[in-house]
Amino acid sequence: MRKRIGILTYRGESGFIEPGFFRRLVKEGRELGADVFVFGPQDVHVSEWKIKGFIPAEKGWKSEWFEWPDIVIDRYRYYPLAKHSHYPPFRKQNLFRYANSRFTNKFNLHQILLEDPFLTKWLPETFAYARSTLVSMLKRHRQVYLKPTNGSGGRSILRVEKTEEGYLLHGRTKQQAKSREKLSSISKVCERLEAWMENEKNGKEQFFLQQGLQLALVPGRTVDARVLAQKDGEGIWRLTGMGIRIGSTRSSTSNLHGGGTAMPAIPFLASRFGQEAAKRIVLECKELVMLTVGRIEQHFGQMMEFGFDLGIDVHGHVWIIEINPKPGREIFRQLGEHRRYRQAVRRPLEYALYLIEKNERMKDQRFGLG
């Protein structure tokens, strides 16, 4: 009997946010012998114990009635907006067996990781926004970032850079429009940051300040590493792949959405630090990822994948910039690593099938059928 895997996401009037990725999930699921369908919270009919699920059609998507899924992968990207207000109570109902637990925002996660003495060396200074905090951070660091707690894709991030003439602000709005301005005083900087937060926040979203790092391994560009960690078909954490992202000129982030480009990690790092140092940096990146996923699961419960954005500064020091529990995997396509991209799509499905089989074995043992 074919297993049913549901993909929970936001479904608005204009459809799904990641239609291309969801199409691949459904296709790869079929090849693995499973029925995969996509749905939003509004598509669940508890009284009839059925779900209006969506699968790809020749043009767009078509809906069908599906029986209750054996497991659900939560791919819902939540923001504190009115249109997402039904998601938290829906998720708390525990109507399904989920492959991944609920998570938290970026600032809260940083505070949790800070409690682990093994991880602190990789964590940049991070504080809730306050004028006095910004002033003291700019005394210690030439650059400070203002970030939204629920942001993704590099949106709504503003970089404050201290210069001899005053302060230089670089940012990218919700609509991915670039922003650049010069200000003469710290009081004007504070006023601008507060106006930025008011314009850029989603609902009651908060902002935080983070130490700016010297990530210009390419002059005038922001550079970071993306590492994708996923559980495989045996429930074991694996590093699916790693790549370097180079931001566009005058961009405050390296995100591919904002015009960044991707490069293979070892050749890029070797050209800056030499072959041996490049291998050491990559090894350190892998070590910190494996340590961190273990720490996160201790706190939040079962997870299935994470995209780590790691900063590598001009001295070769590695920093945790951001951790995303619902990551993209486009970097592998940009690198031309199509087999790795396919593996990155399949692994969540393989892990979901592993959980279904594990659950069935436990039931059989309980009833003496094993």
Side-chain angles (χ1 to χ4, degrees):
M1 187 173 164
R2 290 173 72 86
K3 308 303 179 191
R4 287 184 300 276
I5 301 174
I7 310 294
L8 172 64
T9 187
Y10 171 71
R11 184 172 71 80
E13 289 178 15
S14 56
F16 303 113
I17 293 172
E18 306 173 280
F21 174 53
F22 291 147
R23 282 177 174 271
R24 286 297 300 257
L25 277 176
V26 174
K27 177 178 176 287
E28 296 294 344
R30 282 185 189 137
E31 292 187 17
L32 289 166
D35 290 326
V36 179
F37 60 90
V38 187
F39 71 98
Q42 71 269 40
D43 300 317
V44 178
H45 295 251
V46 179
S47 58
E48 298 163 43
W49 215 240
K50 284 186 176 179
I51 295 175
K52 185 169 82 169
F54 289 78
I55 56 174
E58 275 188 42
K59 291 182 179 178
W61 296 77
K62 63 178 180 180
S63 64
E64 289 181 11
W65 288 104
F66 285 87
E67 299 294 322
W68 219 245
D70 296 295
I71 202 158
V72 168
I73 294 172
D74 185 350
R75 190 71 191 177
Y76 198 113
R77 288 182 171 172
Y78 170 77
Y79 299 100
L81 291 169
K83 67 180 182 180
H84 295 307
S85 60
H86 54 301
Y87 168 74
F90 174 84
R91 188 65 168 82
K92 284 176 186 172
Q93 288 181 69
N94 284 327
L95 294 169
F96 311 106
R97 251 189 112 233
Y98 285 99
N100 48 335
S101 303
R102 290 189 70 209
F103 204 50
T104 188
N105 67 47
K106 296 171 188 178
F107 183 70
N108 288 343
L109 176 63
H110 183 276
Q111 303 309 103
I112 290 160
L113 297 182
L114 209 52
E115 295 170 8
D116 190 325
F118 291 107
L119 300 179
T120 51
K121 66 177 179 179
W122 293 309
L123 296 169
E125 272 188 27
T126 303
F127 301 102
Y129 174 80
R131 283 193 174 200
S132 57
T133 307
L134 177 65
V135 171
S136 65
M137 287 183 77
L138 282 169
K139 285 177 182 173
R140 291 191 298 278
H141 310 293
R142 196 168 61 86
Q143 292 180 353
V144 172
Y145 280 82
L146 178 74
K147 295 183 173 185
T149 52
N150 293 82
S152 66
R155 71 157 188 87
S156 304
I157 293 174
L158 195 60
R159 184 177 75 206
V160 182
E161 186 176 339
K162 192 164 55 175
T163 68
E164 288 180 8
E165 296 82 34
Y167 300 90
L168 188 60
L169 273 59
H170 279 276
R172 194 179 286 280
T173 67
K174 282 187 234 185
Q175 286 75 35
Q176 298 288 1
K178 287 183 183 178
S179 169
R180 189 171 189 266
E181 56 194 305
K182 291 179 181 178
L183 296 172
S184 57
S185 69
I186 190 66
S187 59
K188 286 181 179 176
V189 171
C190 291
E191 286 171 16
R192 181 68 186 99
L193 262 60
E194 284 154 22
W196 177 274
M197 288 187 281
E198 193 57 38
N199 290 331
E200 290 292 314
K201 70 180 180 181
N202 279 323
K204 296 178 181 177
E205 185 172 48
Q206 300 296 306
F207 280 70
F208 62 92
L209 298 167
Q210 191 166 78
Q211 167 191 349
L213 305 168
Q214 293 175 278
L215 303 180
L217 295 178
V218 175
R221 308 285 187 99
T222 300
V223 179
D224 69 14
R226 163 57 68 95
V227 182
L228 182 62
Q230 297 176 297
K231 282 187 180 169
D232 65 10
E234 295 178 342
I236 298 166
W237 281 106
R238 303 285 184 193
L239 295 175
T240 303
M242 176 178 176
I244 297 292
R245 302 185 305 181
I246 303 169
S248 57
T249 52
R250 293 187 170 179
S251 174
S252 56
T253 68
S254 65
N255 288 78
L256 302 181
H257 302 282
T261 54
M263 288 192 68
I266 292 280
F268 174 83
L269 293 171
S271 69
R272 270 97 193 140
F273 300 106
Q275 193 74 20
E276 288 309 306
K279 287 178 183 176
R280 178 195 60 75
I281 291 167
V282 168
L283 200 62
E284 184 178 347
C285 289
K286 291 177 177 179
E287 178 192 355
L288 83 84
V289 166
M290 297 307 274
L291 274 171
T292 308
V293 293
R295 180 76 183 91
I296 290 171
E297 280 202 307
Q298 283 172 9
H299 198 276
F300 293 98
Q302 174 182 288
M303 305 302 288
M304 68 185 306
E305 62 177 354
F306 286 103
F308 279 72
D309 294 344
L310 304 177
I312 299 161
D313 69 22
V314 293
H315 308 293
H317 185 91
V318 181
W319 301 89
I320 297 174
I321 298 174
E322 204 167 286
I323 302 171
N324 187 344
K326 293 163 189 175
R329 49 218 81 209
E330 286 305 303
I331 189 167
F332 303 122
R333 281 222 282 218
Q334 280 219 11
L335 289 169
E337 297 180 359
H338 298 292
R339 283 180 64 186
R340 202 181 294 273
Y341 174 77
R342 188 181 181 209
Q343 184 181 50
V345 174
R346 285 174 75 102
R347 273 191 164 160
L349 298 167
E350 290 168 347
Y351 176 59
L353 289 168
Y354 157 80
L355 289 177
I356 294 168
E357 288 166 15
K358 184 181 172 186
N359 191 48
E360 287 177 351
R361 282 198 305 273
M362 285 170 65
K363 279 182 183 175
D364 288 346
Q365 287 169 1
R366 200 179 305 147
F367 295 106
L369 301 172

